Amino acid sequence: GQNIDQPTEMTATEGAIVQINCTYQTSGFNGLFWYQQHAGEAPTFLSYNVLDGLEEKGRFSSFLSRSKGYSYLLLKELQMKDSASYLCAVRLSGGSYIPTFGRGTSLIVHP
Amino acid sequence: DSGVTQTPKHLITATGQRVTLRCSPRSGDLSVYWYQQSLDQGLQFLIQYYNGEERAKGNILERFSAQQFPDLHSELNLSSLELGDSALYFCASSPSDSYTDTQYFGPGTRLTVL
């Protein structure tokens, strides 16, 4: 089966760094996505990891460890506009490869 | 702006009614995906179409159906609506049906069933 776990809510201060974790229990893993979603808006693509390691993209970085079933999204130099929900989604190999989404982590950035 | 369009933006209707949600994918994208997002369930995959054919099915109720037309736009039909169907419905598109594709989401349709 596939259980995707993320913290429900996190708070952080403007200018700080925050790490949002995602763990998954799944067989046939074939990639992990991170999406950002502001309230009432569409999810927007942030990153896709299929191999172990860290991928950096501006202020956002995403890390994957396939052996540990673990990923994190790192947000640096936090801005107020980063307040949003961050969705972790896991894709399986074989059969349907549609990503399964976690419940999301609501990040609140305060001054 | 992802390039995926959805209409209407908001829809308010009564229990037992039927509604149709419409989605136009990004230019050149052949795959369309439908998702339902409610407060207590998160983002749930409903169904995927690729170049007019149903490709994958998720947690879609029998009261719901979808199709993709020759011009690649898609419609999601929801019938015999219940209060619990109130949710945000997102459409996403991707270039093909490859496992390497990334999905790009439309702005969503907020359905309220009274």
Side-chain angles (χ1 to χ4, degrees), chain A residues 30-31 33 48 50 91-99, chain B residues 33 94 96-102:
Chain A
N30 195 23
F33 294 86
Y48 177 55
V50 64
R91 168 177 276 163
L92 298 177
S93 61
S96 170
Y97 54 89
I98 306 298
Chain B
Y33 311 79
S94 68
S96 68
D97 64 344
S98 167
Y99 71 92
T100 60
D101 275 3
T102 294

Side-chain angles (χ1 to χ4, degrees), chain A residues 21-96:
Chain A
N21 296 326
C22 172
T23 58
Y24 58 91
Q25 298 170 355
T26 184
S27 59
F29 171 83
N30 195 23
L32 185 144
F33 294 86
W34 283 98
Y35 281 83
Q36 179 193 61
Q37 186 179 25
H38 287 96
E41 297 183 10
T44 54
F45 170 77
L46 291 177
S47 67
Y48 177 55
N49 293 69
V50 64
L51 300 175
D52 290 350
L54 183 69
E55 295 209 3
E56 299 185 69
K57 202 182 286 186
R59 293 189 300 114
F60 293 5
S61 303
S62 57
F63 171 83
L64 176 67
S65 169
R66 289 172 294 172
S67 62
K68 295 181 180 176
Y70 168 67
S71 173
Y72 68 72
L73 181 69
L74 193 71
L75 291 77
K76 303 175 188 174
E77 300 169 18
L78 280 172
Q79 302 174 9
M80 299 296 290
K81 67 177 183 180
D82 297 330
S83 293
S85 184
Y86 291 85
L87 309 177
C88 171
V90 173
R91 168 177 276 163
L92 298 177
S93 61
S96 170

Side-chain angles (χ1 to χ4, degrees), chain B residues 58-76:
Chain B
N59 301 321
I60 188 166
L61 300 171
E62 285 192 11
R63 301 184 285 110
F64 297 0
S65 64
Q67 54 183 328
Q68 186 179 29
F69 295 87
D71 67 353
L72 301 177
H73 90 271
S74 178
E75 293 181 355
L76 179 67

